Amino acid sequence: MKLAIDAMGGDNAPKAIVEGALLALEDFPNIEIQLYGKQQELQPFLKEHPRLEVIHCEEVVEAEDDPARAVRRKKDASMTKILEAVTEGRADACLSAGNTGAFMAGGLFKVGRIEGVARPALATTLPTIDGQGFLMLDLGANADAKAENLLQYAIMGYIYAKKVRGIDNPRVGLLNIGTEDKKGNELTKQAFTLLKESDINFIGNVEARDLMDNVADVVVTDGFTGNMVLKSIEGTAGAMMNLLKEAFLSSAKTKVGALLMKSELKKLKGKLDYSEYGGAALFGLKAPVIKAHGSSNARAIYSAIRQANIMVEHDVTDVIAKTISANQQ
């Protein structure tokens, strides 16, 4: 299995990318990694490995580049090259922590949609209090959506949760402003009807306040709503950790308390740590395209590689394509 990785994307590139790739090579003997980037910048962090190949690229897609034009204009950029590697069959999946908009646009333009998928969706696993996590999509690939799109998102999410996360019969919920069947706007009402008539394990409407209580394994919504919920969860989790830190460091007494609770606080941080959950996958494309968090450390890159590995191993893209085709028929 060959994975193409943009070594120049993200706040901590290339150090974190290279280190994460080396960690993954030690744990996953079935993969070969192709690192795309500027050889001279990667060199200080590289170690010789028989399953590691470095492909030099002169250009980099920067965070401030226009997403719609970056991949088309920068022909020798590391992000462009990993997408081409997948398209041309030289890699089975690709991964970047770089410019999200450019990577999504490039995925659509270079890799292409699965036949029958109207709109791809950006999906990631978010934390729950019990540590199980839940998959949420769409997180911003499409600001607008139709009820038919939400049905496809649900199908793709169900397959991913079953194949990659190992959940036997994933519970699929529709994000709404109430749990009653008739709640919501026209989009959610129409989507509710379609989901109820589908073959997936649809449990009905779910509310945002219950998401971290593991109310569902897969939560479906439009990209506009999903992106706001994602950023609200990230912001709230970060603020809570900062408030706890401030409280525990406020006096000698609280510092002693923090020392006594060190292991419990570490567990709490682990539950809220994005680096353990992998990246966001762009569902609906012809090959796995994984977007790692922009501030990914080596552990987060490792988790994203693990995610790509499982997606390829379980042929998630092909299963999604066959299911979408059968559903249309």
Side-chain angles (χ1 to χ4, degrees):
M1 187 190 302
K2 294 183 179 180
L3 305 180
I5 299 176
D6 173 13
M8 307 305 294
D11 301 337
N12 301 313
K15 186 176 185 287
I17 316 299
V18 175
E19 290 176 354
L22 291 170
L23 281 173
L25 285 168
E26 293 304 314
D27 282 2
F28 309 124
N30 64 318
I31 67 171
E32 293 178 19
I33 289 179
Q34 304 163 356
L35 282 178
Y36 289 74
K38 294 184 177 181
Q39 177 85 40
Q40 66 274 20
E41 292 187 31
L42 270 60
Q43 198 61 51
F45 313 109
L46 288 170
K47 292 178 183 176
E48 285 291 327
H49 198 287
R51 289 182 281 114
L52 177 66
E53 180 184 3
V54 177
I55 295 98
H56 177 71
C57 302
E58 286 291 339
E59 295 180 288
V60 177
V61 173
E62 306 289 355
E64 61 273 12
D65 284 347
D66 184 340
R69 299 176 184 174
V71 171
R72 295 190 187 196
R73 287 185 175 179
K74 293 189 170 181
K75 304 289 186 186
D76 196 41
S78 50
M79 183 182 288
T80 307
K81 290 298 184 182
I82 65 168
L83 290 164
E84 286 178 354
V86 170
T87 306
E88 295 167 8
R90 290 180 281 110
D92 299 296
C94 62
L95 185 158
S96 176
N99 186 316
T100 303
F103 197 43
M104 288 195 296
L108 280 168
F109 175 62
K110 296 274 187 187
V111 180
R113 292 194 303 261
I114 291 170
E115 187 177 348
V117 173
R119 294 183 181 183
L122 196 62
T124 196
T125 302
L126 295 171
T128 53
I129 292 169
D130 62 5
Q132 295 301 307
F134 69 97
L135 183 77
M136 188 168 175
L137 67 166
D138 177 25
L139 296 175
N142 304 282
D144 298 309
K146 296 177 181 177
E148 292 78 11
N149 302 141
L150 296 190
L151 174 61
Q152 287 193 341
Y153 297 168
I155 292 168
M156 293 189 289
Y158 179 88
I159 291 166
Y160 179 90
K162 189 170 186 176
K163 294 287 183 179
V164 177
R165 303 202 64 228
I167 301 167
D168 185 46
N169 189 25
R171 300 161 297 155
V172 179
L174 176 66
L175 189 63
N176 210 329
I177 57 171
T179 57
E180 299 87 348
D181 292 4
K182 302 296 182 183
K183 278 279 188 176
N185 55 19
E186 281 306 306
L187 172 63
T188 55
K189 287 175 183 176
Q190 290 173 20
F192 185 95
T193 302
L194 291 177
L195 288 164
K196 200 168 185 179
E197 292 170 354
S198 70
D199 294 330
I200 60 176
N201 182 20
F202 178 56
I203 61 169
N205 292 322
V206 296
E207 292 189 78
R209 66 182 179 186
D210 298 323
L211 294 180
M212 295 188 74
D213 288 328
N214 196 16
V215 69
D217 301 305
V218 178
V219 176
V220 178
T221 187
D222 62 274
F224 184 82
T225 306
N227 192 268
M228 287 198 296
V229 170
L230 169 68
K231 287 172 180 173
S232 295
I233 290 173
E234 285 183 337
T236 303
M240 288 299 297
M241 293 307 295
N242 287 335
L243 286 170
L244 279 171
K245 186 177 179 181
E246 188 179 299
F248 278 120
L249 297 178
S250 62
S251 68
K253 183 173 68 176
T254 55
K255 285 177 183 177
V256 172
L259 191 63
L260 293 172
M261 294 178 64
K262 188 177 179 180
S263 60
E264 284 74 18
L265 290 171
K266 196 172 181 180
K267 287 176 187 175
L268 173 62
K269 188 180 179 183
K271 283 184 179 181
L272 299 175
D273 189 1
Y274 72 89
S275 67
E276 295 299 323
Y277 290 93
L282 195 54
F283 288 172
L285 299 186
K286 292 177 181 177
V289 173
I290 308 294
K291 173 63 181 70
H293 202 289
S295 58
S296 290
N297 55 21
R299 187 68 194 176
I301 295 300
Y302 168 90
S303 298
I305 293 170
R306 179 186 63 205
Q307 179 184 10
N309 180 25
I310 298 171
M311 284 187 74
V312 175
E313 204 169 46
H314 290 275
D315 211 4
V316 170
T317 301
D318 190 50
V319 175
I320 287 173
K322 288 177 179 175
T323 308
I324 294 292
S325 176
N327 190 62
Q328 287 181 325
Q329 291 170 11

